[in-house]
Amino acid sequence: MRLMHGLKGSILKRWHSLTVSPARLRRFWAPPYWQDAGGFRDIACAHCRKFNPASTQCSIRFGTPLRKCVVAAIEAHLNDLRGEEVLEIGFGSYALARNLVRRSGGRWTGIDPGQPVSAVARLGHGGYGHAAEIPFRDQQFDRVFAIQSLEHWGQKAAPRREPSDYIDCMNELLRVLKPGGRVYLDAPVHFHGHEMFIMGDTQRIRALFDPRKWDELVLERWRYHYQPLEPYPPSQKVLAEWDIEISSYPDEQVAAARDSSSVWLLTCSARKKPAGSPAG
């Protein structure tokens, strides 16, 4: 039964990725789809456009609670990329975002550290690369995005590579973006990856975006308020990584996070300041 359920979810996920319409999504996710809350945009489950109040369920029919939020956020942010050169960092196997880029009229390029080093990255294709060393020239892209990748850039337990310095990664994003180009990054909170994402340290995450270099920074919280849906606590497998990753937070704060956390999705959007813009 569990195998059949997993197969059904895989089929639904693939079908959704293949058939989703950027034009329809632009109408569906027309702003504002959020509620302003203390410097964040909140997309509470009860007010999310994907919530079905009749069944008290999310209308996305596949994936974990976190994956449902990832899908919704991709739909809201990557549905209109006409004429843009777009780079995805850590593209993996899930094709929704790249399909939306291509279907909305942009050119998708991807890099991923899981690709063979021999897979040379080139425009319009996927190849090897990572956030700390992007194999493209300066000011190549109108937009750079990463789906559930940001939290791994500085992760101590990252497979296949040493953890990267976030300052180096953010400078690489700035280097390859055109002036006025935009970045979209998402990451789970209270789940895995670098300690600031595990602990939900949004002040530290916000500080990654140097105001002298970035403006129009927007942070969204998806499923931060999950009621009336169920909480989504981190699994024991995920919790086992916390001891490896966390070193800068007091034990009592970590224990409180273990006992009470429900996983939610943070999205970060910002613009590279155009040339000649005043310092923030």
Side-chain angles (χ1 to χ4, degrees), residues 24-192:
R24 186 171 68 245
L25 294 180
R26 287 195 289 274
R27 293 190 296 270
F28 185 84
W29 291 106
Y33 55 83
W34 61 84
Q35 302 81 46
D36 290 315
F40 295 90
R41 289 178 178 176
D42 263 345
I43 301 88
C45 288
H47 302 292
C48 180
R49 294 179 183 174
K50 289 291 186 178
F51 180 68
N52 184 338
S55 62
T56 323
Q57 292 181 333
C58 179
S59 61
I60 296 173
R61 298 165 58 200
F62 56 87
T64 65
L66 174 62
R67 172 58 67 179
K68 294 176 192 292
C69 289
V70 170
V71 169
I74 289 172
E75 290 184 353
H77 284 272
L78 300 175
N79 59 46
D80 189 1
L81 297 163
R82 286 170 287 188
E84 293 193 16
E85 288 282 2
V86 183
L87 175 66
E88 180 175 8
I89 298 175
F91 59 87
S93 61
Y94 187 46
L96 173 60
R98 79 190 74 158
N99 286 349
L100 279 175
V101 171
R102 290 165 170 164
R103 210 168 290 154
S104 69
R107 179 162 70 165
W108 176 91
T109 300
I111 59 171
D112 194 305
Q115 292 290 302
V117 176
S118 59
V120 177
R122 53 196 178 97
L123 291 175
H125 302 272
Y128 175 80
H130 55 86
E133 192 174 343
I134 299 174
F136 290 100
R137 65 172 174 81
D138 297 357
Q139 301 183 20
Q140 177 74 70
F141 297 100
D142 300 285
R143 193 171 311 234
V144 177
F145 74 93
I147 307 299
Q148 289 189 283
S149 169
L150 172 65
E151 73 275 17
H152 296 299
W153 296 353
Q155 182 180 8
K156 295 176 185 176
R160 297 183 295 271
R161 61 175 179 81
E162 292 296 314
S164 299
D165 184 286
Y166 277 99
I167 293 176
D168 292 342
C169 294
M170 298 306 290
N171 284 336
E172 273 293 88
L173 301 189
L174 286 162
R175 182 184 66 77
V176 300
L177 275 171
K178 299 174 184 178
R182 295 185 178 273
V183 66
Y184 170 74
L185 311 169
D186 73 22
V189 172
H190 303 318
F191 198 56
H192 59 193

Side-chain angles (χ1 to χ4, degrees), residues 40 66 131 146-156 161 163-167 169-170 173 184-209 217-222 224 232 234 238-239 241-242 245-249 253-254 257-258 261-269:
F40 295 90
L66 174 62
I147 307 299
Q148 289 189 283
S149 169
L150 172 65
E151 73 275 17
H152 296 299
W153 296 353
Q155 182 180 8
K156 295 176 185 176
R161 61 175 179 81
S164 299
D165 184 286
Y166 277 99
I167 293 176
C169 294
M170 298 306 290
L173 301 189
Y184 170 74
L185 311 169
D186 73 22
V189 172
H190 303 318
F191 198 56
H192 59 193
H194 188 275
E195 64 175 6
M196 61 180 152
F197 298 99
I198 291 176
M199 296 303 298
D201 192 342
T202 52
Q203 184 174 354
R204 190 173 170 186
I205 296 166
R206 193 185 292 269
L208 297 176
F209 296 87
L217 175 62
V218 174
L219 270 58
E220 293 180 347
R221 302 187 299 195
W222 297 74
Y224 183 79
Y232 183 48
V238 167
L239 287 172
E241 295 183 10
W242 287 26
E245 300 295 338
I246 299 173
S247 60
S248 303
Y249 298 87
Q253 189 175 347
V254 177
R258 285 181 182 272
S261 294
S262 180
V263 178
W264 54 278
L265 182 73
L266 176 72
T267 75
C268 309
S269 304

